[in-house]
Amino acid sequence: MRLERGFFARETVQVAKELLGKVLVREVDDQILKGKIVETEAYVGPIDKASHAYGFKKTARVEPLYGKPGISYVFSIYGMYVCFNIITFKEGSPEGVLIRALEPIEGIDSMSINRFKKEYEELDKKKIKELTNGPSKLCIAMNITKKEHNFIDLITSSELYVEDGEAVDNMDIVETTRIGIDYAEEARYFPWRFYIKENEFVSKK
């Protein structure tokens, strides 16, 4: 069952935690790709120096962050990769959740070709683990692009959305600091990264 807007229209840190175990779905070229969300990060723009919209900063780039809960925000990094986020809380407050890692569960052969230009059966253990264990890696594997998927509504989209999945017990969730935000002063210490304990597709433990 597809998640509705009400799921995302809640406190951002809680949504980031509860997205664990949910399933990101990508429909492309008559194929369905699915990955279980195993790692997330919360970003709360009004108070978060790690956010692109800290202090309600407004630019064309961050416009999606001010949209309705359930809107996508896909941004570029290093000029060649992208990261996928889902807007949360309420329209007008720039908050969202970065999807950091997935566990592939359907359409894995297509993910492998997208990511490595190889059939899944050709991958060694290291490559299998690296298929979707990072925010840009999962975008390549799922064929998520900034041009096609920034600022779309995941509640109504026919090509990218989130389905309900298995519940993850609180005892199996690790809460820790986010990655790659050393510039963010005190915000670098916020415990707003969540991942499923012992899952091999988590980007960093």
Side-chain angles (χ1 to χ4, degrees):
M1 182 176 67
R2 180 191 292 236
L3 297 185
E4 298 182 352
R5 202 173 311 281
F7 177 89
F8 302 103
R10 299 178 298 143
E11 196 270 331
T12 298
V13 173
Q14 188 65 27
V15 174
K17 191 173 182 178
E18 293 186 15
L19 273 169
L20 297 177
K22 301 299 189 283
V23 178
L24 183 64
V25 182
R26 173 81 168 98
E27 296 191 24
V28 56
D29 298 331
D30 298 321
Q31 293 183 315
I32 296 179
L33 314 180
K34 293 186 178 184
K36 181 172 75 173
I37 298 171
V38 299
E39 183 180 4
T40 62
E41 288 182 347
Y43 288 85
V44 182
I47 62 168
D48 185 358
K49 292 178 181 177
S51 170
H52 295 163
Y54 169 59
F56 291 97
K57 177 182 178 180
K58 289 187 177 182
T59 64
R61 180 196 193 197
V62 303
E63 186 179 357
L65 282 168
Y66 291 88
K68 295 178 181 178
I71 294 292
S72 65
Y73 173 44
V74 181
F75 64 87
S76 301
I77 59 171
Y78 308 127
M80 57 189 302
Y81 300 115
V82 299
C83 296
F84 168 72
N85 305 256
I86 305 173
I87 304 313
T88 52
F89 192 47
K90 65 181 181 180
E91 189 170 5
S93 186
E95 305 185 28
V97 175
L98 170 67
I99 308 302
R100 277 204 61 91
L102 302 174
E103 177 183 328
I105 56 177
E106 186 174 332
I108 300 176
D109 282 332
S110 293
M111 292 186 202
S112 178
I113 291 171
N114 290 340
R115 179 92 168 84
F116 296 117
K117 311 301 181 189
K118 293 182 178 181
E119 300 284 347
Y120 182 74
E121 64 183 16
E122 298 179 72
L123 303 184
D124 58 25
K125 290 184 178 180
K126 183 174 185 291
K127 291 293 187 185
I128 290 172
K129 184 177 179 180
E130 293 178 348
L131 193 57
T132 50
N133 70 336
S136 295
K137 295 175 185 179
L138 71 88
C139 286
I140 296 170
M142 299 284 279
N143 195 18
I144 295 172
T145 69
K146 181 177 179 180
K147 181 178 179 180
E148 295 183 11
H149 303 111
N150 186 40
F151 216 161
I152 66 171
D153 193 340
L154 304 176
I155 312 306
T156 60
S157 172
S158 61
E159 57 181 298
L160 187 63
Y161 50 92
V162 183
E163 290 182 338
D164 201 4
E166 61 185 49
V168 180
D169 191 283
N170 276 335
M171 294 293 292
D172 293 323
I173 296 176
V174 176
E175 302 181 14
T176 186
T177 53
R178 295 170 295 178
I179 295 171
I181 57 166
D182 291 348
Y183 58 86
E185 298 179 12
E186 73 279 357
R188 63 187 290 191
Y189 302 109
F190 294 173
W192 287 355
R193 181 166 69 98
F194 305 93
Y195 65 84
I196 299 177
K197 188 187 305 181
E198 307 302 333
N199 188 280
E200 65 179 331
F201 290 96
V202 171
S203 67
K204 184 178 180 180
K205 297 179 181 178

